[in-house]
Amino acid sequence: MTLAASNRSPILRVAMSRDDLMMRLGVVLFAVVLLVIVGLPLWSLLAKAFEDRDGKFVGLANYVSYFSTPALFDSALNSLHVAAVCTLIVVPLAFFYAYALTRTVLPVRWLFQGISLIPIFAPSLLPGLALVYLFGNQGFFKGALGGPIYGFDGIVIAQIFYCFPHATLILVTALTTADARLYEAADALGASKLRVFFTVTLPGAKYGLISAALVVFTMVITDFGIAKVIGGNFNVLATDVYKQVIGQQNFSMGAVVGMVLLAPAAIAFLVDRVVQRKQVALLTARAVPLIPKPKLGRDLFFTAFCTVVAAGILVILGMAAWGSLIKYWPYNLSLTLANYDFTNFDASGWDSYFNSVEMAVGAAVFGTTLMFVGAWLNEKTREFYLMRGIVQFLAFLPMAVPGLVLGLGYIFFFNAPNNPLNFLYATMGILVVNTVAHFYTVGHLTATTALKQIDPEFESVSASLKVPVWRTFGRVTAPICLPAILDIAIYLFVNGMTTVSSVIFLYSSDTKLASVAAVNIEESGATAVAAALCIVIVITSAAVKTLHVLADRFLLGRLQAWRRR
Amino acid sequence: MSHLEVRNLSKRYGDFTALGDISLDIAEGEFVCFLGPSGCGKTTLLRAIAGLDPQSSGTIHQKGRDISALPPSKRDFGIVFQSYALFPNLTVVDNVGYGLVSRREGKAAVGRRVTELLTLVGLPDAGPKYPAQLSGGQQQRVALARALATSPGLLLLDEPLSALDARVRLRLRHEIKALQRTLGVTTIMVTHDQEEALTMADRIVVMNQGAIEQVGTPQEIYRRPATAFVADFVGSMNFLAGTLVAPDKVKVDGFTFDCTAQDGLAPGAKVALCIRPEDVRVRDLPTDIANRVAVEVAELDFVGAFCRATLKVQGTADVAMTADFSSNLIRDLGVELGRKLDVALPPDRLRVFAA
């Protein structure tokens, strides 16, 4: 023994219990799963962008040709332009709507809130279709916008509809966390209403506004359905990826465009992370919640404002619904259900709808299990910091990755002949896995937040009572987190029903989804049928969400009597 | 034989030493309190003993068995947390029986044991309720019953009373102590409340900055604090700065006080001369009493049962001390602000620490 070593008592190596060992194995397994469904597909995409059509490494040649092709490079500028304009319109609109919902006294507030959420349940091509009916070449108000709807204007209007609920949700949360005493203090100091708005309200919602802006920006840049339906000759990044891959079968160039598409989304994501980290809890435990008092003038103004916005949403939805019921637009406006007989327009008929339901249920079941168990393993495993850090990174990655990019990565990774997982390609399985991966981050965050709210000593108590961790997981942790688990499942189901972008590269003739079928049908010119499919999707996901709300209110109350005092 | 033997226990986080070379023996059936300010390492030590946050080095033996490297589930203890950590979705019966069910005892046997435990903690009818329907004190008793259910050899209590209001806390102090005495279970309680430690513990371990300052019975800790930190932390104490002029004499600003002989300190050393406020004598002072000084009442704070007086020692610049005067004494001697009187500091009540 050396002298230096004998000075210090030996460092203790603690034996792992069987629980510790099992949980570490679980974390490793979970990391491998995330690597396969997120990490490796993205890596394949990255590698593909450096290869030519024959798979030979060509360095930056693809990038050079991308940036020297004006048509392609213009798309990137178009994307940025559209995204910037949409952000500038949606964020103020959503802010005042959220302000009305949280800070004024609205009649039928719940109805206004409900209507604002409707677009979430629709595939993104629905507003595009509605705009075709309203302002298209044969539209009701043709020419009312002073030019053709196909292109920049159409994309912007449709994106406003599509992004509005997401921005509103974020801003409602930001505006709900207000301390009434700040307003009382400002009043007592004699500040004018306008000054209070600029010195108390706006700074309080600052982080929400930044977050909402980044979310809208990212959604617009990465969305594919709207640009596809109403973009006309106005090319954007998302449609370029599709054209390169499906149209020209140029996978390498598709990968390059995908990487370009990844950049703004990833930057927006990183900015949001940095901003969120700076945010401190505005609402301390001692804060007094703000309850708006009636004020006639203000309330009337905001009721009118919300009515106009809500009417806009309902007109777009209603136009799509009406269009789907019309015999032959615009010549024969009599009503018919013929457009809902999908077999006449698409080989898969109603099968695509049932495929969608099957896929959405599969994603909800498989995804919720993976997300909750995974988040639990990562939260509750003792030490093992490096591996848990890797898992955390992989779980956050999908947030920054547009669906089209992930879908493209899936082609390269799972379709590679030497991949043992190749058998998944073109099955329902790969659609489920892809959807789970695409929407992973939000579910993981929901589960992690719920788990963090539970007393961390439950596991210590269980260990002292010699009860294995998995039993405490089943008897205590999971039942307590049931509301969060349901939230995740519904989120996955709704997104599974409406998603287009990531699955459009991955379906086969047997596994075509309703949202994808709608894109194909619209391409063939049968707008009414595409609208009909979108309406079926809206009804299904909205019905499931309504069931969830009812279950939350009535069933959970009965099952979880322990929550009552 | 000791129930628990802790040897050279250290816990480091990077460069920070949370526990430095702790050694401690705890006898079978003993009630020991770890007492200290927040951040002193008392909870860290408890969690190391439980195996929840293992030590960096050092050993722990329980009943002769080396448990130093064992995970919590392989150790023999029951634990109660400040948050109670009751499972909110399980009834009181299921909470208390949580550790029994997994030992595959018969259902009837588990039921009997749970009833017995609930009676023991004074909640025989709480069985079908959920934790949220109980008061804080009741929840704490359920947590205690759950920890005791598997008859552990060692009971660990981590600030069990801190979250309760004052009245309930007082009552539970007695109940927990009585229960512990009945069951004879070796118990370690972590607390920052000196009164709690003094009333409940058989022995107190006073900790500061990751090290043990003193181990002793409540009387020893209070009467003969081993360090200035203990003297200051437990109870109230006057600190008078002075110099040791002889083994049993301390000079404070011109006055020389007699004290017990100090072995560990060399004459000429800077020291603190300490006396508790209640040990300052006022009544019936014999003329030849040691350490007699003339003082003036500079402040008088009414505290309820007694008054705490600040006394300025006459003939010094700023030597002052506090003394506790009962209401009777104040009436009898007519104590009031500005009143001059003589007090004595009994040599056997004086403590001297290196400054």
Side-chain angles (χ1 to χ4, degrees), chain A residues 274-286:
Chain A
V274 171
V275 169
Q276 296 303 330
R277 200 163 295 170
K278 283 196 182 147
Q279 181 167 22
V280 286
L282 288 171
L283 212 59
T284 56
R286 273 186 283 166

PDB file of all heavy atoms in Angstrom, chain A residues 274-286:
ATOM      1  N   VAL A 274     -33.596  28.138 -22.871  1.00  0.00           N
ATOM      2  CA  VAL A 274     -32.815  29.145 -22.150  1.00  0.00           C
ATOM      3  C   VAL A 274     -33.747  30.132 -21.449  1.00  0.00           C
ATOM      4  O   VAL A 274     -33.564  30.465 -20.271  1.00  0.00           O
ATOM      5  CB  VAL A 274     -31.872  29.890 -23.125  1.00  0.00           C
ATOM      6  CG1 VAL A 274     -31.217  31.076 -22.434  1.00  0.00           C
ATOM      7  CG2 VAL A 274     -30.814  28.931 -23.667  1.00  0.00           C
ATOM      8  N   VAL A 275     -34.794  30.561 -22.176  1.00  0.00           N
ATOM      9  CA  VAL A 275     -35.728  31.532 -21.606  1.00  0.00           C
ATOM     10  C   VAL A 275     -36.460  30.925 -20.413  1.00  0.00           C
ATOM     11  O   VAL A 275     -36.591  31.545 -19.363  1.00  0.00           O
ATOM     12  CB  VAL A 275     -36.735  31.995 -22.687  1.00  0.00           C
ATOM     13  CG1 VAL A 275     -37.856  32.786 -22.050  1.00  0.00           C
ATOM     14  CG2 VAL A 275     -36.024  32.813 -23.734  1.00  0.00           C
ATOM     15  N   GLN A 276     -36.922  29.686 -20.569  1.00  0.00           N
ATOM     16  CA  GLN A 276     -37.683  29.056 -19.481  1.00  0.00           C
ATOM     17  C   GLN A 276     -36.822  28.911 -18.227  1.00  0.00           C
ATOM     18  O   GLN A 276     -37.313  28.978 -17.111  1.00  0.00           O
ATOM     19  CB  GLN A 276     -38.192  27.675 -19.892  1.00  0.00           C
ATOM     20  CG  GLN A 276     -39.184  27.676 -21.035  1.00  0.00           C
ATOM     21  CD  GLN A 276     -40.407  28.530 -20.734  1.00  0.00           C
ATOM     22  OE1 GLN A 276     -40.817  28.690 -19.597  1.00  0.00           O
ATOM     23  NE2 GLN A 276     -40.978  29.125 -21.768  1.00  0.00           N
ATOM     24  N   ARG A 277     -35.521  28.684 -18.434  1.00  0.00           N
ATOM     25  CA  ARG A 277     -34.654  28.497 -17.275  1.00  0.00           C
ATOM     26  C   ARG A 277     -34.552  29.787 -16.459  1.00  0.00           C
ATOM     27  O   ARG A 277     -34.370  29.768 -15.268  1.00  0.00           O
ATOM     28  CB  ARG A 277     -33.266  28.049 -17.755  1.00  0.00           C
ATOM     29  CG  ARG A 277     -32.467  27.373 -16.667  1.00  0.00           C
ATOM     30  CD  ARG A 277     -31.311  26.587 -17.247  1.00  0.00           C
ATOM     31  NE  ARG A 277     -31.771  25.473 -18.075  1.00  0.00           N
ATOM     32  CZ  ARG A 277     -30.967  24.747 -18.844  1.00  0.00           C
ATOM     33  NH1 ARG A 277     -29.688  25.017 -18.874  1.00  0.00           N
ATOM     34  NH2 ARG A 277     -31.439  23.745 -19.552  1.00  0.00           N
ATOM     35  N   LYS A 278     -34.682  30.920 -17.167  1.00  0.00           N
ATOM     36  CA  LYS A 278     -34.582  32.204 -16.464  1.00  0.00           C
ATOM     37  C   LYS A 278     -35.833  32.517 -15.669  1.00  0.00           C
ATOM     38  O   LYS A 278     -35.832  33.351 -14.778  1.00  0.00           O
ATOM     39  CB  LYS A 278     -34.356  33.322 -17.492  1.00  0.00           C
ATOM     40  CG  LYS A 278     -32.940  33.361 -17.991  1.00  0.00           C
ATOM     41  CD  LYS A 278     -32.665  34.666 -18.681  1.00  0.00           C
ATOM     42  CE  LYS A 278     -31.253  34.673 -19.225  1.00  0.00           C
ATOM     43  NZ  LYS A 278     -31.155  35.422 -20.450  1.00  0.00           N
ATOM     44  N   GLN A 279     -36.913  31.847 -16.042  1.00  0.00           N
ATOM     45  CA  GLN A 279     -38.179  32.166 -15.382  1.00  0.00           C
ATOM     46  C   GLN A 279     -38.162  31.658 -13.949  1.00  0.00           C
ATOM     47  O   GLN A 279     -37.828  30.516 -13.684  1.00  0.00           O
ATOM     48  CB  GLN A 279     -39.326  31.509 -16.142  1.00  0.00           C
ATOM     49  CG  GLN A 279     -40.676  31.825 -15.527  1.00  0.00           C
ATOM     50  CD  GLN A 279     -41.800  31.433 -16.460  1.00  0.00           C
ATOM     51  OE1 GLN A 279     -41.622  30.606 -17.334  1.00  0.00           O
ATOM     52  NE2 GLN A 279     -42.956  32.020 -16.262  1.00  0.00           N
ATOM     53  N   VAL A 280     -38.544  32.538 -13.035  1.00  0.00           N
ATOM     54  CA  VAL A 280     -38.682  32.100 -11.646  1.00  0.00           C
ATOM     55  C   VAL A 280     -40.175  32.047 -11.339  1.00  0.00           C
ATOM     56  O   VAL A 280     -40.976  32.655 -12.021  1.00  0.00           O
ATOM     57  CB  VAL A 280     -37.986  33.059 -10.672  1.00  0.00           C
ATOM     58  CG1 VAL A 280     -36.495  32.880 -10.749  1.00  0.00           C
ATOM     59  CG2 VAL A 280     -38.376  34.483 -10.973  1.00  0.00           C
ATOM     60  N   ALA A 281     -40.510  31.315 -10.301  1.00  0.00           N
ATOM     61  CA  ALA A 281     -41.914  31.184  -9.956  1.00  0.00           C
ATOM     62  C   ALA A 281     -42.487  32.559  -9.628  1.00  0.00           C
ATOM     63  O   ALA A 281     -42.048  33.215  -8.692  1.00  0.00           O
ATOM     64  CB  ALA A 281     -42.072  30.247  -8.776  1.00  0.00           C
ATOM     65  N   LEU A 282     -43.456  33.003 -10.428  1.00  0.00           N
ATOM     66  CA  LEU A 282     -44.065  34.301 -10.169  1.00  0.00           C
ATOM     67  C   LEU A 282     -45.089  34.188  -9.057  1.00  0.00           C
ATOM     68  O   LEU A 282     -45.374  35.128  -8.348  1.00  0.00           O
ATOM     69  CB  LEU A 282     -44.769  34.802 -11.433  1.00  0.00           C
ATOM     70  CG  LEU A 282     -43.844  35.264 -12.553  1.00  0.00           C
ATOM     71  CD1 LEU A 282     -44.637  35.527 -13.802  1.00  0.00           C
ATOM     72  CD2 LEU A 282     -43.103  36.513 -12.115  1.00  0.00           C
ATOM     73  N   LEU A 283     -45.653  32.985  -8.953  1.00  0.00           N
ATOM     74  CA  LEU A 283     -46.735  32.797  -8.024  1.00  0.00           C
ATOM     75  C   LEU A 283     -46.192  32.071  -6.798  1.00  0.00           C
ATOM     76  O   LEU A 283     -45.952  30.883  -6.816  1.00  0.00           O
ATOM     77  CB  LEU A 283     -47.823  31.949  -8.698  1.00  0.00           C
ATOM     78  CG  LEU A 283     -49.233  32.257  -8.246  1.00  0.00           C
ATOM     79  CD1 LEU A 283     -49.572  33.703  -8.506  1.00  0.00           C
ATOM     80  CD2 LEU A 283     -50.193  31.354  -8.969  1.00  0.00           C
ATOM     81  N   THR A 284     -46.009  32.805  -5.728  1.00  0.00           N
ATOM     82  CA  THR A 284     -45.565  32.147  -4.508  1.00  0.00           C
ATOM     83  C   THR A 284     -46.775  31.536  -3.829  1.00  0.00           C
ATOM     84  O   THR A 284     -47.908  31.794  -4.200  1.00  0.00           O
ATOM     85  CB  THR A 284     -44.920  33.169  -3.564  1.00  0.00           C
ATOM     86  OG1 THR A 284     -45.869  34.206  -3.324  1.00  0.00           O
ATOM     87  CG2 THR A 284     -43.671  33.752  -4.172  1.00  0.00           C
ATOM     88  N   ALA A 285     -46.500  30.700  -2.819  1.00  0.00           N
ATOM     89  CA  ALA A 285     -47.592  30.011  -2.141  1.00  0.00           C
ATOM     90  C   ALA A 285     -48.534  31.004  -1.481  1.00  0.00           C
ATOM     91  O   ALA A 285     -49.696  30.731  -1.253  1.00  0.00           O
ATOM     92  CB  ALA A 285     -47.022  29.059  -1.104  1.00  0.00           C
ATOM     93  N   ARG A 286     -48.017  32.214  -1.185  1.00  0.00           N
ATOM     94  CA  ARG A 286     -48.831  33.178  -0.459  1.00  0.00           C
ATOM     95  C   ARG A 286     -49.568  34.150  -1.366  1.00  0.00           C
ATOM     96  O   ARG A 286     -50.242  35.058  -0.901  1.00  0.00           O
ATOM     97  CB  ARG A 286     -47.955  33.950   0.535  1.00  0.00           C
ATOM     98  CG  ARG A 286     -47.842  33.230   1.863  1.00  0.00           C
ATOM     99  CD  ARG A 286     -47.109  34.082   2.855  1.00  0.00           C
ATOM    100  NE  ARG A 286     -45.687  34.059   2.610  1.00  0.00           N
ATOM    101  CZ  ARG A 286     -44.843  34.925   3.157  1.00  0.00           C
ATOM    102  NH1 ARG A 286     -45.285  35.875   3.936  1.00  0.00           N
ATOM    103  NH2 ARG A 286     -43.557  34.823   2.927  1.00  0.00           N
TER     104      ARG A 286
END
